[in-house]
Amino acid sequence: DLGAEVRGRERPKMLCFQLVVASAAVVSGLNVGAARSGPITMQTKTITPMPATVKPGVVTGQALWDLLQHAKENEYAIPAVNVVSSCSISSCLEAAAKYGGPMIIQFSRGGGQFIAGKTANNDNDAACIAGSVAGALHVRQVAELYGVPVILHTDHCQRSWLPWFDGLMEANEKYFAANGEPLFSSHMLDLSEEPLEENVGTCKEYLERMSKVDLLLEMELGVTGGEEDGVDNSDVDSSRLYTQPEEVWEVYQQLSTVPNGRFTVAAAFGNVHGVYAPGNVELKPEILHNTQKFIAEKLGGGDAKPTLFVFHGGSGSSREDIRYAIKAGTIKMNIDTDTQWAFWDGIRAYEAKYHDYLQGQIGTPEGELKPNKKYYDPRMSLRSGEEFMAKRLCEAAEDLNCVNVLSGW
């Protein structure tokens, strides 16, 4: 039983928008590799009331922005998990309900295709689009039942994958026309391998379209090392793993001209995809603090943390580095590899426990003619995977200070 273990300021007119700054790439790794053993200790802290705009279920537009501001003010970050099935979606929602905080459920292009079915027609990314949309509709149908706010997001999209992004935009616009809000909460464009001018120019074009339907854009600066779901930066020059404050300021200036433009910037500070032993990744969260100071000085006023950061790569990093990044205004951290392992570990543990009942349809240790149907029912092993993944996410929430933060609900 998991439950037993886990209980401003006015800006210049040109800057009439909201900004979130994210740090780069998807990963796993909250200090990492093997999950911790033993019960999870939930922190006791004073949390300000959740904004009235934020309700159980999928949040978009102003409610999304209010939630992210609440995270910044109360110094917690929201786990963001790449999902590939209804099982991984259920794990995310189960965990959020148990740790008492919001959850970001996100789809990669490959994850969307997997949901649609690997043999489905994928001409012009048709299956990638259909699977992502189907997953989002599923989340919308069930999220409110768990009593937590949920952000629906999509992950890396490089230029060659723009047909997928365009298809998702069409789905958002159709949903907005019928319901007054977009299907998703936000989307990511990853053009970080292109020159800054081209990267920002394309992002601005898309933000102009997205802002009309209350979508938040996440864009990337710098490069996240390692490999993840079709994005391979294993051999990238190490200097590109660290974004400079001046680059973030350039993005801020350009995208701020979009009316109602809300966006995030994935600013690399040593982030690496995958899982690595502690010490093998040189994370520099001080870049986030320096960027906050740089932009705050440019803007003037009294806000010491005018931007919101998203931490996309914690592989091999310590809890101290993670929480130092949170103190710089980090409000989101992507998790992938660790949750993949946790789900598999649950299935592996189930097979080990019931191995003798899983060797044939008939014949158990209790008798040669006894049936094994209740053991090989797919729901049994998949449920074990869900439980292990949910437990790992509760541990991640503790690392991110995202425990019991739904004050006032």
Side-chain angles (χ1 to χ4, degrees):
D1 180 7
L2 282 175
E5 294 188 352
V6 188
R7 296 281 175 229
R9 110 198 124 69
E10 184 175 323
R11 294 182 173 90
K13 290 183 179 179
M14 183 189 75
L15 300 178
C16 292
F17 70 99
Q18 283 103 351
L19 164 71
V20 181
V21 177
S23 68
V26 196
V27 332
S28 87
L30 300 167
N31 191 25
V32 312
R36 295 185 296 275
S37 60
I40 296 171
T41 303
M42 297 305 190
Q43 289 187 305
T44 301
K45 55 185 178 180
T46 302
I47 299 292
T48 61
M50 187 65 65
T53 55
V54 182
K55 307 291 184 184
V58 175
V59 295
T60 64
Q62 188 61 49
L64 168 61
W65 181 249
D66 291 344
L67 174 58
L68 298 181
Q69 289 288 346
H70 184 265
K72 184 185 80 167
E73 292 165 4
N74 289 279
E75 295 190 347
Y76 66 88
I78 307 170
V81 183
N82 282 26
V83 297
V84 297
S85 70
S86 62
C87 290
S88 47
I89 290 170
S90 295
S91 298
C92 292
L93 295 172
E94 177 180 345
K98 284 185 165 124
Y99 65 68
M103 170 62 71
I104 300 173
I105 293 177
Q106 58 191 28
F107 299 86
S108 67
R109 178 173 173 267
Q113 183 183 12
F114 189 83
I115 289 172
K118 292 293 285 186
T119 62
N121 176 22
N122 197 36
D123 292 346
N124 298 315
D125 278 353
C128 297
I129 295 165
S132 301
V133 169
L137 290 170
H138 173 80
V139 173
R140 279 192 167 275
Q141 198 68 23
V142 302
E144 191 173 340
L145 302 175
Y146 290 82
V148 296
V150 176
I151 298 170
L152 268 175
H153 183 66
T154 59
D155 209 10
H156 296 268
C157 179
Q158 55 201 31
R159 189 171 295 277
S160 61
W161 294 353
L162 284 178
W164 173 54
F165 200 101
D166 292 335
L168 296 177
M169 282 304 305
E170 291 174 7
N172 280 301
E173 289 160 349
K174 182 179 179 180
Y175 195 91
F176 186 90
N179 300 282
E181 66 173 340
L183 174 60
F184 289 85
S185 308
S186 54
H187 296 292
M188 180 185 185
L189 278 177
D190 179 3
L191 307 176
S192 57
E193 295 187 0
E194 302 182 12
L196 180 62
E197 183 177 356
E198 295 178 18
N199 183 353
V200 177
T202 300
C203 286
K204 184 176 179 180
E205 291 177 9
Y206 274 95
L207 184 59
E208 288 170 346
R209 181 179 178 185
M210 296 172 72
S211 65
K212 293 179 173 62
V213 291
D214 282 341
L215 280 165
L216 182 146
L217 170 68
E218 178 183 329
M219 64 88 70
E220 181 165 347
L221 285 175
V223 174
T224 300
E227 188 276 335
E228 183 68 29
D229 207 352
V231 179
D232 190 350
N233 293 319
S234 303
D235 299 322
V236 69
D237 187 295
S238 60
S239 66
R240 299 186 64 195
L241 299 178
Y242 303 99
T243 302
Q244 299 304 308
E246 292 83 358
E247 296 174 297
V248 180
W249 173 237
E250 177 65 19
V251 172
Y252 193 104
Q253 287 181 293
Q254 293 297 321
L255 298 190
S256 70
T257 62
V258 178
N260 194 42
R262 297 185 177 98
F263 60 93
T264 70
V265 180
F269 58 102
N271 324 56
V272 176
H273 289 124
V275 59
Y276 297 86
N280 286 357
V281 176
E282 188 178 1
L283 202 65
K284 296 182 178 180
E286 61 269 22
I287 288 176
L288 306 182
H289 288 266
N290 292 340
T291 300
Q292 290 281 29
K293 181 179 179 181
F294 185 87
I295 295 178
E297 290 176 351
K298 291 289 186 180
L299 293 174
D303 190 351
K305 293 189 285 188
T307 60
L308 300 180
F309 291 104
V310 178
F311 186 172
H312 275 231
S315 303
S317 59
S318 66
R319 178 185 284 191
E320 289 71 26
D321 276 346
I322 292 168
R323 291 187 173 174
Y324 188 52
I326 290 173
K327 286 186 176 296
T330 293
I331 46 74
K332 171 180 179 256
M333 183 168 182
N334 280 27
I335 310 164
D336 188 25
T337 306
D338 283 358
T339 55
Q340 290 176 348
W341 171 258
F343 195 92
W344 157 247
D345 201 27
I347 293 175
R348 182 198 57 77
Y350 179 85
E351 192 283 331
K353 182 176 182 179
Y354 297 107
H355 176 82
D356 292 343
Y357 298 85
L358 299 170
Q359 304 310 303
Q361 289 183 288
I362 302 294
T364 75
E366 287 79 35
E368 295 181 358
L369 300 180
K370 287 191 175 184
N372 290 309
K373 187 177 186 305
K374 68 178 181 180
Y375 296 102
Y376 64 76
D377 182 332
R379 290 172 293 182
M380 301 300 291
S381 58
L382 291 174
R383 176 58 188 150
S384 182
E386 289 177 352
E387 290 174 330
F388 274 56
M389 180 173 167
K391 179 180 178 181
R392 182 65 185 89
L393 283 171
C394 287
E395 294 170 357
E398 184 188 8
D399 289 340
L400 298 175
N401 293 327
C402 191
V403 174
N404 297 329
V405 298
L406 302 179
S407 176
W409 278 35

